[in-house]
Amino acid sequence: MKMRVAAIIPAFNEEATIEGVVKPAVRSTLVDEVIVVSDGSTDQTSAFARRAGAYVLDLPLQSGKGAALRHGVTFTDAPIILFLDADLRGLSEEHLEALLSPVLSGSRHMNIGIRDRGVLSRIIGPRLPLVSGERALVRRIFETVPDEHLKGYMVEASLNFACRSHGLVYGSVFMSGVTIRTKFQKVGWKALPQYGRMWWQVLKAFWIIRLAYASGIVKSQITNHK
């Protein structure tokens, strides 16, 4: 019997793209429920997500991606979680199948999607830090991440290190044709310092999480799923 899959999509003011993410998830035969967590959105994100078929949780104030993910996970008991960013373009049911199949079959405990940034992304993408928000994983992996590591870009680093420290198999899949609505498209040149802060947070997060696991501060048990 196939294990239940819940797609959880954190979103803040993503009315331009949210339906294009929700609809493939709703149509997918591998996904059993689709939950959008509107993280204090002030536009039509929630309305468009509902129209596309998602169950929507409205947070009154913006709490951050990690808190939104945690909130979504608490509203489902599905043993397999599919995280998707809300600003994707070009997502299809085939991409979701490629993400989910290795986890559902048990060959991987987590599978991460690499977005299409051109020819080189297929080659160098798997060699870069795997910080993409598109990932299918065994629920227990997420549940081991301490709340203090669910901030900023620490979420993805924490999930990676949770797998690595417990010897769990994880990998990536290239998602041809999948792009995102960039920060430049959202806010123009204000995106430049945002990108700078983003990559600084990514690097900082990797070192914080690495040190936490190396020092034994983070101690958790994850049992293999069948």
Side-chain angles (χ1 to χ4, degrees):
M1 179 181 293
K2 182 187 82 66
M3 287 182 288
R4 285 181 57 80
V5 174
I8 298 177
I9 308 168
F12 173 68
N13 288 352
E14 298 291 359
E15 63 181 15
T17 52
I18 187 66
E19 289 186 278
V21 180
V22 170
K23 286 180 178 179
V26 169
R27 291 193 300 260
S28 174
T29 58
L30 299 182
V31 177
D32 299 287
E33 53 185 322
V34 181
I35 301 171
V36 169
V37 184
S38 179
D39 189 22
S41 296
T42 57
D43 64 359
Q44 295 298 305
T45 294
S46 295
F48 290 177
R50 288 190 181 94
R51 183 172 70 184
Y55 178 72
V56 178
L57 302 171
D58 282 299
L59 301 183
L61 299 173
Q62 187 177 13
S63 303
K65 181 179 180 179
L69 292 175
R70 177 75 79 187
H71 193 69
V73 169
T74 64
F75 274 80
T76 179
D77 61 357
I80 304 298
I81 302 297
L82 173 66
F83 291 139
L84 298 170
D85 285 344
D87 54 0
L88 298 177
R89 286 176 166 160
L91 188 68
S92 70
E93 296 101 300
E94 289 73 25
H95 294 124
L96 301 184
E97 181 178 357
L99 271 171
L100 283 164
S101 292
V103 179
L104 287 170
S105 70
S107 62
R108 289 180 179 176
H109 295 85
M110 182 168 69
N111 199 32
I112 304 164
I114 297 176
R115 299 170 193 146
D116 193 343
R117 294 180 172 88
V119 177
L120 288 179
S121 61
R122 185 187 294 270
I123 300 171
I124 66 174
R127 294 170 174 79
L128 296 174
L130 295 173
V131 296
S132 171
E134 289 66 66
R135 51 185 68 207
L137 64 152
V138 177
R139 178 195 185 99
R140 289 188 293 273
I141 297 173
F142 183 81
E143 291 177 338
T144 64
V145 178
D147 287 340
E148 60 267 26
H149 292 170
L150 292 177
K151 298 176 181 178
Y153 293 91
M154 294 179 73
V155 179
E156 286 80 11
S158 294
L159 293 172
N160 294 348
F161 274 100
C163 287
R164 189 177 303 174
S165 65
H166 291 88
L168 303 180
V169 179
Y170 72 103
S172 61
V173 60
F174 181 73
M175 301 194 302
S176 179
V178 175
T179 61
I180 63 168
R181 184 169 175 252
T182 68
K183 294 182 185 297
F184 284 108
Q185 291 170 327
K186 295 176 186 178
V187 298
W189 287 104
K190 293 180 181 178
L192 202 57
Q194 291 181 15
Y195 276 119
R197 288 193 297 271
M198 180 186 75
W199 283 108
W200 165 246
Q201 289 180 28
V202 168
L203 293 173
K204 182 180 177 181
F206 268 87
W207 281 109
I208 290 174
I209 303 303
R210 184 186 293 271
L211 290 172
Y213 275 97
S215 65
I217 294 174
V218 176
K219 296 180 181 179
S220 58
Q221 296 294 325
I222 305 175
T223 55
N224 292 347
H225 75 292
K226 303 243 182 234

